Amino acid sequence: MPDWDLGQLRALAAAADLGTLDAAARALHVTPSAVSQRIKALEHQVGAVLLRRERPVRPTAAGEPLVRLARQLDALTEDATRHLAAPRVPRVPLAVNGDSLTTWLLPALAPLADRVVVELVREDQDRSAALLRDGSVMAAVTAERTAVQGCSVEPLGVMRYRPFAAPAFRDRWFADGVGRAALAAAPVVVFDAADRLQDRWLERAGVDPLAPPRHLVPASADFATAIRLGFGWGMLPDQQSDDDVAAGRLVLLDDGSGVEVPLFWQQWSLRTQALDAVADHVRRGARAALGGAARPAAP
């Protein structure tokens, strides 16, 4: 097993995070030459180029696991230091899809706010696993059911999305029913270019997803607001639409099952008290909001 030098690993991670050797040097309080020498020594030990020397610098495929290792070692060091020195609030970077963030995740994590610094990175549930692979986050709420290398995975539950519209929008565009011709003409609200929820529902209805005009609104709360204001129809999770339906601000276009998105919890396969606490609260929140078969954190 290699005898890793923590200073070399930190130099590599700092360069990858900050984009230049100069910025890494400032963060580590050393010279750029020292950062370069540490990275070269690590490359010599591994026998591979670990950093692409471009602007910004980026880790190579061989470098990505070592960047992740550096971040994991820092997390473990921070966890140990908390028990040996003056109390310091631990940090847990976490990727989460916008709809979970808007609906159930923040209430789930609120009880930890005075004990853990949670750094939330909003990322689509289909893409958040990439942040685990490069070590940018320690855990993720993701649609990826296959465990990222070095991570564990477990199901959280299912978010069900159904098509909603403002009453006036429905009356204008679907006066004769929600048929193919009307769906091909009625404007639709999508989150961003990667959002396929509306496309999947249109395809199920036999409509070309590229036919209707598309409004892009890349923020979960604003996405729902755009639908309420009549920009177009769109897919919303039950947790985000129930109050608006009860108040008459939204109407359901189809009473079918909608589109179901299974969510999973992936986290680094290491143990820190802070990460364990975050995972346990996420499981509880998912069980309450999604009906997931959440289990408590292992002792």
Side-chain angles (χ1 to χ4, degrees):
M1 179 179 295
D3 185 13
W4 300 113
D5 183 292
L6 187 55
Q8 294 172 359
L9 290 170
R10 282 178 171 161
L12 178 67
D17 288 342
L18 301 174
T20 68
L21 299 189
D22 287 345
R26 289 193 294 272
L28 297 173
H29 305 291
V30 297
T31 65
S33 176
V35 171
S36 179
Q37 289 174 13
R38 291 176 187 180
I39 294 174
K40 287 180 179 177
L42 188 58
E43 289 176 327
H44 179 75
Q45 178 182 354
V46 174
V49 175
L50 302 177
L51 204 65
R52 294 188 181 94
R53 269 68 168 184
E54 51 191 33
R55 286 190 174 273
V57 297
R58 292 184 300 155
T60 63
E64 287 177 354
L66 294 182
V67 171
R68 184 168 63 246
L69 173 62
R71 290 167 177 155
Q72 292 173 340
L73 288 173
D74 275 342
L76 291 171
T77 301
E78 184 178 74
D79 192 56
T81 301
R82 284 195 306 115
H83 297 281
L84 298 174
R88 188 171 119 187
V89 180
R91 179 182 68 93
V92 175
L94 169 63
V96 58
N97 62 307
D99 291 334
S100 292
L101 183 61
T102 299
T103 56
W104 63 271
L105 188 75
L106 285 178
L109 294 178
L112 291 175
D114 61 345
R115 293 188 284 139
V116 178
V117 172
V118 180
E119 296 182 357
L120 294 169
V121 180
R122 196 214 63 78
E123 184 56 275
D124 184 83
Q125 64 266 14
D126 294 314
R127 295 178 286 178
S128 53
L131 298 176
L132 283 166
R133 292 188 183 95
D134 67 18
S136 297
V137 298
M138 298 172 69
V141 176
T142 175
E144 178 58 60
R145 68 180 66 234
T146 302
V148 172
Q149 184 177 11
C151 294
S152 61
V153 62
E154 62 183 273
L156 287 176
V158 174
M159 290 196 80
R160 183 176 66 156
Y161 292 79
R162 297 188 293 170
F164 290 92
F169 182 92
R170 177 202 55 190
D171 295 344
R172 176 183 178 187
W173 292 96
F174 302 112
D176 297 324
V178 185
R180 292 183 183 179
L183 285 171
V188 58
V189 182
V190 299
F191 192 85
D192 58 22
D195 177 14
R196 293 207 71 252
L197 285 172
Q198 288 71 214
D199 294 354
R200 289 166 61 183
W201 191 76
L202 285 169
E203 288 169 350
R204 186 183 300 172
V207 178
D208 180 359
L210 299 180
R214 302 161 75 88
H215 297 289
L216 269 64
V217 183
S220 188
D222 296 332
F223 179 91
T225 298
I227 297 173
R228 286 195 298 269
L229 291 174
F231 277 72
W233 67 270
M235 306 292 286
L236 290 171
D238 293 345
Q239 296 87 350
Q240 197 173 8
S241 56
D242 286 347
D243 289 345
D244 285 321
V245 170
R249 293 185 293 264
L250 291 177
V251 292
L252 184 63
L253 296 182
D254 177 70
D255 57 4
S257 61
V259 176
E260 294 187 342
V261 177
L263 295 179
F264 299 85
W265 174 251
Q266 293 216 34
Q267 70 173 67
W268 289 353
S269 297
L270 58 77
R271 302 297 304 276
T272 71
Q273 286 189 348
L275 183 55
D276 284 350
V278 168
D280 192 40
H281 280 72
V282 168
R283 293 185 189 103
R284 294 178 190 176
R287 181 172 54 201
L290 310 178
R295 60 176 176 79

